[in-house]
Amino acid sequence: MYLLQGTLFSFEEWLKIESKDRLPLFFETLDLRPYVKEMKKSSPQGARGYSREAILRAFLAAPMEEISTLTRLHQ
């Protein structure tokens, strides 16, 4: 069974949107709560205080902002 995923924006619409407005528009269209809920911490060790939703948003935004390394993404 195949599902055809609808588009959020056409390519032409996306190009018309100013770059500073793209990420907020992109993220208000997506509901990330089901995915964040599935991102359970598997280990009690590691850094604390980082929102899983914020981390997910950063990984989704990286290609749109042409961020290619984790170091640049962290900055």
Side-chain angles (χ1 to χ4, degrees), residues 4 7-8 10 16-17 19-20 26-27 29-30 33 42 44-45 47 50 55-56 59-61 63 69 73:
L4 181 61
T7 58
L8 295 174
S10 73
K16 290 178 186 175
I17 301 170
S19 62
K20 67 177 179 64
F26 178 75
F27 286 118
T29 306
L30 296 177
R33 288 175 294 177
S42 59
Q45 298 174 335
Y50 292 99
I55 293 169
L56 180 58
F59 279 112
L60 291 173
T69 65
L73 181 62

Side-chain angles (χ1 to χ4, degrees), residues 9-48:
F9 312 99
S10 73
F11 184 69
E12 291 79 20
E13 289 174 329
W14 189 251
L15 290 177
K16 290 178 186 175
I17 301 170
E18 289 189 43
S19 62
K20 67 177 179 64
D21 297 328
R22 288 182 183 166
L23 285 179
L25 185 59
F26 178 75
F27 286 118
E28 76 182 27
T29 306
L30 296 177
D31 180 15
L32 298 176
R33 288 175 294 177
Y35 305 103
V36 171
K37 193 165 84 171
E38 293 298 319
M39 295 171 62
K40 296 178 182 170
K41 191 167 188 168
S42 59
S43 170
Q45 298 174 335
R48 296 191 181 166

